[in-house]
Amino acid sequence: MKKIFLIGSISLLCIACSVGPNYHRPPIYKNNKIADSLYLKSNSKRKINPLWYQSFGDDNLNKLIEQGLEHSPNIKVAIEKMQQARYKLYIDRSGFLPSFDAKGQYNKSNQTLAGALPINSDYYQVGLDASWELDIWGGRRRLDESARAMLKATAANFDNVKISLISEIANQYINWILAEKQLSLMENNLKLQTDIFETVEAKYKAGLADSLDYEQAKSLLDSTKMKIPQLRLEEKSYQNALSILVGKLPVDIIKNKSDILYKKFSFELASLYDLPIDIVRNRPDVQATEQQLIAENALIGQAIANLFPSVSLSAFLGYQNNTLSPIFGPNFNMYTNGAVINLPILHWGELINQVKLQESATKQAFALYQASLLNAVADISNAINSVKEETKRNISAKAMMNSTKEISVLSLRKYQNGLIEFSDVLTAEQNKISAEQEYLQSNAKIYQNIVSFYKSVGGGLAIDRNKSVCQMACSTEDGMPCKD
């Protein structure tokens, strides 16, 4: 017993150390350099509102996003992945403590020796078996460090799924509205072009217009009729896409669509640069890759720990007898205890290569983290420039639409008075239709570019990487303890 106590004491003294490299954030792409490349305000304290989409002032969109966050299968999958990571953490942590098992045993033997009577014997044993592998080199602590990092990674991935879902719902909703408004615009143009055709047809029958004017008017009318079924198909396809995103059938999607694309969305362009200096590293996808890097780095220590001796303690306390009835009697108690030291000697390079394999996996995780930083910077830069340039383009698109509308009215009036050829009316009408569509598309593009901007900066769902695991992902609904 004294020997076991001595071994345990020595082992406990060694527990303070953990082999393997400790994680330090790689000194690449420092925050101030990233901020300079994006022209961000160095002293910004701005926080992105997670409900940024409400600034569009569209109740239908708000309801769709709420439904998506509640019913989307993608959200449910992300939640379950986070729960699985939490259970994995609890499983790994159970190895820090001894395991106890109730044990029952029965053996029967029948031996016959030459020239002797047969010997029959029964043996019964019942008791409590305990075992404990000491974490001398910190291998299990490295495993716990890796599991905690993976839980944080899944929590970051969960937020990344949320912001992706919100953005996709917003984009598809804008596409749906755009298709509906373009369809309405085309139907209105069809009515106007029908009137134009009837005017030309009357002139043609009266001998005041030639067949060219008549065929051109008819061709324009047929061209517009041809576009309407395609726009109806697009409108329906966007409705179906929305139904998938929000986890509802198409018949349950809202029917009343707003006039959001006819509203001028007021957005302060200066706020594009009013972002905190660590905006890139706080993006959920970037944090997920960094936590995965932390997890892989910790597993190097676990692999190294396998190169060193391991110590396991075991004990058994119970009763034994050769008959079953008095097995729990006071004269039949027993106990055993022992210690096992396992020293790896020859594994034909398995353990060394396991360390090298994990070092390679860590280098791969580092490269993915590096790539995520670069992608985040590019996303933010592209989003900022897209909002700025589309805003400028929108001003010109609106002016062009107003001009072509006026030209179309004047051209038709002059043709009716015999002052110009019908080809001039046709050109003016086609320019008007094109300008109206361009303006609607530009309005939609502004909204979608703003959506892309908020997605690129994390959508207000950035996680504090030092926040406790419990605060991020733990739940006590299943009765499991919530401890970091």
Side-chain angles (χ1 to χ4, degrees):
M1 188 69 181
K2 292 181 180 179
K3 294 179 180 179
I4 299 297
F5 178 77
L6 179 61
I7 293 175
S9 299
I10 295 174
S11 300
L12 290 173
L13 290 175
C14 297
I15 285 180
C17 69
S18 293
V19 296
N22 294 322
Y23 176 76
H24 299 285
R25 176 175 281 176
I28 56 169
Y29 313 133
K30 294 183 179 180
N31 284 346
N32 60 335
K33 293 292 185 181
I34 293 175
D36 290 343
S37 67
L38 294 173
Y39 305 103
L40 304 183
K41 295 181 180 179
S42 59
N43 58 348
S44 174
K45 302 296 183 183
R46 179 188 177 193
K47 292 184 180 296
I48 303 297
N49 183 1
L51 304 179
W52 52 266
Y53 51 87
Q54 293 183 355
S55 62
F56 292 163
D58 192 304
D59 291 337
N60 292 334
L61 174 59
N62 297 339
K63 290 177 183 177
L64 284 171
I65 290 176
E66 290 173 4
Q67 290 174 348
L69 293 175
E70 182 178 358
H71 301 290
S72 171
N74 291 339
I75 291 291
K76 295 176 182 179
V77 169
I79 290 175
E80 292 309 318
K81 286 184 177 179
M82 189 163 58
Q83 291 288 63
Q84 291 165 22
R86 181 165 68 98
Y87 295 135
K88 175 67 165 56
L89 176 62
Y90 288 142
I91 291 170
D92 290 340
R93 285 184 173 180
S94 65
F96 283 113
L97 301 174
S99 62
F100 297 89
D101 297 287
K103 183 178 180 181
Q105 181 179 352
Y106 167 69
N107 289 320
K108 181 177 179 63
S109 65
N110 189 332
Q111 302 179 25
T112 301
L113 299 177
L117 296 175
I119 301 174
N120 295 317
S121 65
D122 294 297
Y123 176 74
Y124 297 89
Q125 184 185 80
V126 63
L128 185 65
D129 194 16
S131 62
W132 184 22
E133 182 176 345
L134 302 179
D135 188 30
I136 299 176
W137 311 107
R140 185 160 293 280
R141 272 165 287 148
R142 291 300 191 187
L143 185 63
D144 178 73
E145 179 185 349
S146 176
R148 281 187 287 114
M150 287 308 299
L151 177 53
K152 291 184 178 182
T154 57
N157 279 327
F158 172 67
D159 275 351
N160 196 41
V161 169
K162 284 174 64 177
I163 182 57
S164 296
L165 177 67
I166 291 171
S167 301
E168 190 62 20
I169 289 175
N171 279 329
Q172 294 296 349
Y173 180 74
I174 295 300
N175 285 332
W176 188 31
I177 299 299
L178 177 61
E180 192 272 338
K181 296 306 177 188
Q182 286 183 321
L183 176 60
S184 177
L185 178 64
M186 200 61 65
E187 288 173 341
N188 290 335
N189 284 327
L190 180 62
K191 294 177 184 178
L192 178 60
Q193 289 165 16
T194 300
D195 292 339
I196 294 174
F197 173 73
E198 290 174 352
T199 300
V200 174
E201 185 180 37
K203 284 191 172 187
Y204 174 70
K205 290 180 179 180
L208 300 176
D210 57 20
S211 60
L212 178 60
D213 291 348
Y214 175 81
E215 293 299 334
Q216 286 178 329
K218 187 175 184 300
S219 175
L220 178 61
L221 186 63
D222 291 338
S223 175
T224 302
K225 287 180 180 179
M226 182 181 64
K227 294 176 182 177
I228 288 177
Q230 180 62 32
L231 290 173
R232 285 178 180 157
L233 178 61
E234 287 183 10
E235 182 187 17
K236 189 63 179 178
S237 66
Y238 288 127
Q239 182 183 12
N240 291 335
L242 272 174
S243 71
I244 295 173
L245 292 170
V246 302
K248 288 183 171 291
L249 294 173
V251 294
D252 296 325
I253 296 293
I254 54 175
K255 298 297 188 296
N256 54 319
K257 297 183 282 294
S258 70
D259 292 330
I260 184 174
L261 296 186
Y262 287 116
K263 299 176 183 178
K264 182 180 179 180
F265 183 69
S266 179
F267 189 81
E268 180 57 51
L269 294 180
S271 65
L272 294 170
Y273 303 99
D274 185 16
L275 298 170
I277 196 169
D278 59 350
I279 191 68
V280 170
R281 295 190 196 277
N282 283 339
R283 274 192 15 161
D285 60 328
V286 173
Q287 290 211 336
T289 56
E290 183 175 14
Q291 292 301 324
Q292 288 165 359
L293 172 58
I294 294 172
E296 296 293 348
N297 182 77
L299 291 178
I300 295 177
Q302 184 201 24
I304 293 175
N306 292 333
L307 299 173
F308 295 92
S310 63
V311 177
S312 298
L313 305 180
S314 63
F316 179 81
L317 178 64
Y319 301 87
Q320 64 178 349
N321 198 2
N322 58 359
T323 61
L324 182 61
S325 56
I327 193 171
F328 293 107
N331 298 323
F332 301 99
N333 53 43
M334 65 167 291
Y335 75 89
T336 63
N337 58 63
V340 176
I341 299 178
N342 182 46
L343 176 63
I345 295 179
L346 182 60
H347 286 254
W348 307 105
E350 176 190 358
L351 301 180
I352 291 293
N353 285 322
Q354 187 63 41
V355 175
K356 293 179 179 179
L357 173 64
Q358 194 52 51
E359 288 175 341
S360 176
T362 303
K363 291 178 181 178
Q364 176 183 332
F366 169 76
L368 292 174
Y369 174 59
Q370 182 182 19
S372 71
L373 287 172
L374 292 173
N375 288 334
V377 172
D379 285 347
I380 295 175
S381 178
N382 290 337
I384 289 174
N385 291 325
S386 295
V387 173
K388 285 173 53 182
E389 298 306 321
E390 192 59 44
T391 300
K392 296 176 183 177
R393 180 174 175 270
N394 185 261
I395 296 173
S396 299
K398 184 177 182 180
M400 184 175 69
M401 180 188 67
N402 292 334
S403 297
T404 54
K405 281 183 177 180
E406 184 66 21
I407 292 171
S408 178
V409 172
L410 294 175
S411 297
L412 181 59
R413 189 178 302 162
K414 285 187 175 183
Y415 172 74
Q416 290 171 338
N417 293 328
L419 299 178
I420 60 173
E421 297 295 329
F422 180 72
S423 59
D424 297 328
V425 177
L426 181 63
T427 300
E429 182 63 20
Q430 289 174 330
N431 290 340
K432 184 198 75 169
I433 294 174
S434 177
E436 288 174 333
Q437 290 178 330
E438 282 288 332
Y439 179 64
L440 271 177
Q441 290 170 357
S442 180
N443 282 352
K445 199 64 180 175
I446 285 179
Y447 279 101
Q448 291 177 328
N449 286 343
I450 292 172
V451 170
S452 296
F453 167 74
Y454 280 112
K455 180 182 179 183
S456 72
V457 298
L461 299 179
I463 300 173
D464 179 0
R465 73 189 186 98
N466 295 316
K467 185 185 292 184
S468 73
V469 174
C470 291
Q471 288 175 297
M472 288 191 305
C474 289
S475 168
T476 57
E477 292 178 0
D478 53 9
M480 297 185 70
C482 184
K483 295 181 180 179
D484 279 335

